[in-house]
Amino acid sequence: MTAIRYVPQKPPVMAIALANRANTDLLQRMLGDDFHIQETFAEESAEPHVTVDLIVVDTASLKHYWERILDLRRRAAPLILPVLLVVDSRSRIPPRITDELGYSVNDILRIPATQLELKARIDNLLRLCASSTAAGLSPRRY
């Protein structure tokens, strides 16, 4: 089995919708210049044609933007628009959140996490997207 290496032509665009501004700032510091961070995802006036490679949300934002996330994922189909859900490691993950795995969310990351773990999870999700492209699916973007 060969692994598909995600090699971006430019820094991937990550849409972030986190309820806590401090978490957004921390995420940006941890990722550095490896990604272009876009916070307009959470704004209702955000243009629907904006190209995004990955969405990062927390539980509050997932609940608030659930319909929008599903719509963006449908529009990206047949490509996969990966979504990473970050949750506080001190709290128990409710079953309704784990039920979202595979539907509106592709992975769940407990925070705090190391920079290495965060980047590995993101890289895996971007590989998922790249594999959908490599499988011969049209590179349709929203």
Side-chain angles (χ1 to χ4, degrees):
M1 182 165 127
T2 59
I4 297 172
R5 174 95 173 111
Y6 180 75
V7 182
Q9 299 299 318
K10 56 184 170 73
V13 178
M14 180 183 302
I16 298 177
L18 301 177
N20 185 331
R21 179 67 204 178
N23 287 340
T24 301
D25 294 342
L26 176 62
L27 187 66
Q28 288 179 328
R29 282 193 309 275
M30 289 176 78
L31 295 173
D33 294 330
D34 293 341
F35 298 90
H36 173 73
I37 306 297
Q38 174 183 302
E39 295 180 57
T40 57
F41 164 79
E43 296 174 10
E44 296 302 322
S45 64
E47 294 296 319
H49 65 277
V50 173
T51 302
V52 172
D53 300 300
L54 173 74
I55 297 172
V56 179
V57 295
D58 56 15
T59 53
S61 296
L62 176 63
K63 183 178 178 182
H64 185 77
Y65 298 111
W66 186 76
E67 287 291 335
R68 181 165 170 77
I69 290 169
L70 291 180
D71 181 55
L72 293 173
R73 286 171 62 99
R74 277 190 292 267
R75 284 199 246 160
L79 294 180
I80 296 169
L81 174 59
V83 176
L84 176 64
L85 174 66
V86 294
V87 297
D88 189 323
S89 64
R90 297 169 297 197
S91 61
R92 186 178 151 272
I93 302 173
R96 66 177 170 74
I97 296 297
T98 55
D99 289 347
E100 292 297 319
L101 272 172
Y103 186 63
S104 65
V105 171
N106 296 92
D107 195 5
I108 298 174
L109 175 66
R110 289 183 173 273
I111 54 173
T114 65
Q115 182 179 30
L116 183 62
E117 182 181 12
L118 174 65
K119 286 186 175 186
R121 294 288 187 93
I122 289 171
D123 190 47
N124 286 339
L125 290 171
L126 292 173
R127 278 192 208 136
L128 178 66
C129 182
S131 67
S132 70
T133 303
L137 302 176
S138 62
R140 197 170 70 181
R141 305 298 283 227
Y142 62 92

Short mmCIF file of all heavy atoms in Angstrom, two decimals, residues 12-13 15 24 26 32 41 44 47-48 50 52-53 67 87 108 110 114 119 134-135:
data_model
loop_
_atom_site.label_atom_id
_atom_site.label_comp_id
_atom_site.label_asym_id
_atom_site.label_seq_id
_atom_site.Cartn_x
_atom_site.Cartn_y
_atom_site.Cartn_z
N PRO A 12 -1.97 25.44 2.60
CA PRO A 12 -3.40 25.10 2.64
C PRO A 12 -4.18 26.17 3.40
O PRO A 12 -3.67 26.80 4.33
CB PRO A 12 -3.44 23.77 3.39
CG PRO A 12 -2.07 23.23 3.34
CD PRO A 12 -1.15 24.41 3.24
N VAL A 13 -5.43 26.35 3.01
CA VAL A 13 -6.31 27.32 3.66
C VAL A 13 -7.15 26.58 4.69
O VAL A 13 -7.82 25.60 4.38
CB VAL A 13 -7.21 28.03 2.63
CG1 VAL A 13 -8.16 28.99 3.33
CG2 VAL A 13 -6.38 28.74 1.58
N ALA A 15 -10.10 27.06 7.51
CA ALA A 15 -11.16 27.88 8.08
C ALA A 15 -11.32 27.49 9.54
O ALA A 15 -11.44 26.31 9.86
CB ALA A 15 -12.47 27.67 7.34
N THR A 24 -8.26 30.18 19.20
CA THR A 24 -7.93 30.51 17.81
C THR A 24 -6.52 31.06 17.73
O THR A 24 -5.73 30.66 16.87
CB THR A 24 -8.93 31.54 17.25
OG1 THR A 24 -10.24 30.98 17.31
CG2 THR A 24 -8.60 31.91 15.82
N LEU A 26 -4.04 30.58 19.84
CA LEU A 26 -3.11 29.51 20.15
C LEU A 26 -2.92 28.60 18.93
O LEU A 26 -1.79 28.24 18.59
CB LEU A 26 -3.62 28.68 21.33
CG LEU A 26 -2.79 27.45 21.70
CD1 LEU A 26 -1.38 27.86 22.12
CD2 LEU A 26 -3.47 26.67 22.81
N GLY A 32 1.90 28.34 12.82
CA GLY A 32 2.87 29.22 12.18
C GLY A 32 2.46 29.57 10.75
O GLY A 32 1.29 29.80 10.46
N PHE A 41 -14.97 32.05 7.78
CA PHE A 41 -15.90 30.92 7.70
C PHE A 41 -17.09 31.13 8.62
O PHE A 41 -18.23 30.84 8.27
CB PHE A 41 -15.18 29.62 8.10
CG PHE A 41 -16.13 28.50 8.41
CD1 PHE A 41 -16.72 27.78 7.38
CD2 PHE A 41 -16.45 28.17 9.70
CE1 PHE A 41 -17.61 26.76 7.65
CE2 PHE A 41 -17.33 27.15 9.99
CZ PHE A 41 -17.92 26.44 8.95
N GLU A 44 -21.50 35.10 8.64
CA GLU A 44 -22.62 34.82 7.75
C GLU A 44 -22.42 35.45 6.38
O GLU A 44 -22.93 34.97 5.39
CB GLU A 44 -23.93 35.33 8.37
CG GLU A 44 -24.31 34.62 9.66
CD GLU A 44 -24.45 33.12 9.51
OE1 GLU A 44 -24.96 32.65 8.47
OE2 GLU A 44 -24.04 32.40 10.42
N GLU A 47 -18.18 34.74 1.66
CA GLU A 47 -18.50 34.35 0.30
C GLU A 47 -18.54 32.83 0.17
O GLU A 47 -17.63 32.15 0.64
CB GLU A 47 -17.45 34.93 -0.67
CG GLU A 47 -17.47 36.44 -0.73
CD GLU A 47 -18.78 36.97 -1.28
OE1 GLU A 47 -19.33 36.40 -2.24
OE2 GLU A 47 -19.29 37.96 -0.73
N PRO A 48 -19.54 32.28 -0.47
CA PRO A 48 -19.65 30.83 -0.59
C PRO A 48 -18.61 30.21 -1.51
O PRO A 48 -18.38 29.02 -1.47
CB PRO A 48 -21.07 30.62 -1.14
CG PRO A 48 -21.41 31.89 -1.81
CD PRO A 48 -20.67 32.97 -1.07
N VAL A 50 -15.38 30.85 -1.52
CA VAL A 50 -14.06 30.88 -0.92
C VAL A 50 -13.49 29.46 -0.86
O VAL A 50 -14.18 28.53 -0.47
CB VAL A 50 -14.12 31.49 0.50
CG1 VAL A 50 -12.79 31.37 1.21
CG2 VAL A 50 -14.55 32.93 0.42
N VAL A 52 -11.42 26.57 0.64
CA VAL A 52 -10.94 26.13 1.95
C VAL A 52 -10.53 24.67 1.82
O VAL A 52 -11.21 23.89 1.16
CB VAL A 52 -12.05 26.29 3.02
CG1 VAL A 52 -11.64 25.67 4.33
CG2 VAL A 52 -12.41 27.74 3.21
N ASP A 53 -9.40 24.31 2.44
CA ASP A 53 -8.91 22.94 2.38
C ASP A 53 -9.30 22.14 3.62
O ASP A 53 -9.32 20.90 3.57
CB ASP A 53 -7.39 22.93 2.23
CG ASP A 53 -6.95 23.63 0.96
OD1 ASP A 53 -7.35 23.17 -0.12
OD2 ASP A 53 -6.22 24.64 1.04
N GLU A 67 -25.35 23.26 10.03
CA GLU A 67 -25.97 23.29 8.70
C GLU A 67 -25.01 23.84 7.66
O GLU A 67 -24.93 23.33 6.54
CB GLU A 67 -27.26 24.12 8.72
CG GLU A 67 -28.41 23.45 9.42
CD GLU A 67 -28.94 22.23 8.66
OE1 GLU A 67 -28.77 22.14 7.42
OE2 GLU A 67 -29.51 21.36 9.33
N VAL A 87 -11.83 19.40 21.08
CA VAL A 87 -12.60 19.36 22.33
C VAL A 87 -11.64 19.45 23.51
O VAL A 87 -10.50 19.03 23.42
CB VAL A 87 -13.46 18.09 22.44
CG1 VAL A 87 -14.51 18.04 21.35
CG2 VAL A 87 -12.63 16.85 22.42
N ILE A 108 -11.58 13.94 15.71
CA ILE A 108 -11.73 14.69 16.96
C ILE A 108 -10.36 14.75 17.63
O ILE A 108 -9.71 13.71 17.79
CB ILE A 108 -12.75 14.02 17.90
CG1 ILE A 108 -14.14 13.99 17.26
CG2 ILE A 108 -12.81 14.75 19.25
CD1 ILE A 108 -15.18 13.23 18.05
N ARG A 110 -8.44 16.06 21.09
CA ARG A 110 -8.56 16.61 22.46
C ARG A 110 -7.44 17.62 22.67
O ARG A 110 -6.29 17.36 22.32
CB ARG A 110 -8.45 15.49 23.49
CG ARG A 110 -9.66 14.58 23.51
CD ARG A 110 -9.49 13.55 24.63
NE ARG A 110 -10.68 12.76 24.80
CZ ARG A 110 -11.69 13.11 25.58
NH1 ARG A 110 -11.67 14.21 26.28
NH2 ARG A 110 -12.75 12.33 25.68
N THR A 114 -0.07 18.59 21.59
CA THR A 114 1.24 19.09 21.19
C THR A 114 1.16 19.63 19.77
O THR A 114 0.26 19.26 19.00
CB THR A 114 2.31 17.98 21.25
OG1 THR A 114 1.99 16.99 20.26
CG2 THR A 114 2.40 17.36 22.63
N LYS A 119 -0.32 19.05 14.04
CA LYS A 119 0.09 19.05 12.63
C LYS A 119 -0.10 17.69 11.99
O LYS A 119 -0.48 17.59 10.82
CB LYS A 119 1.53 19.53 12.50
CG LYS A 119 1.67 21.02 12.72
CD LYS A 119 3.07 21.51 12.45
CE LYS A 119 3.14 23.02 12.56
NZ LYS A 119 4.44 23.55 12.16
N ALA A 134 -6.93 12.18 -5.90
CA ALA A 134 -6.12 11.19 -6.61
C ALA A 134 -6.97 10.02 -7.10
O ALA A 134 -6.59 9.33 -8.03
CB ALA A 134 -5.01 10.68 -5.69
N ALA A 135 -8.11 9.81 -6.48
CA ALA A 135 -8.99 8.70 -6.88
C ALA A 135 -9.71 9.02 -8.19
O ALA A 135 -10.54 8.24 -8.64
CB ALA A 135 -9.99 8.40 -5.78
#
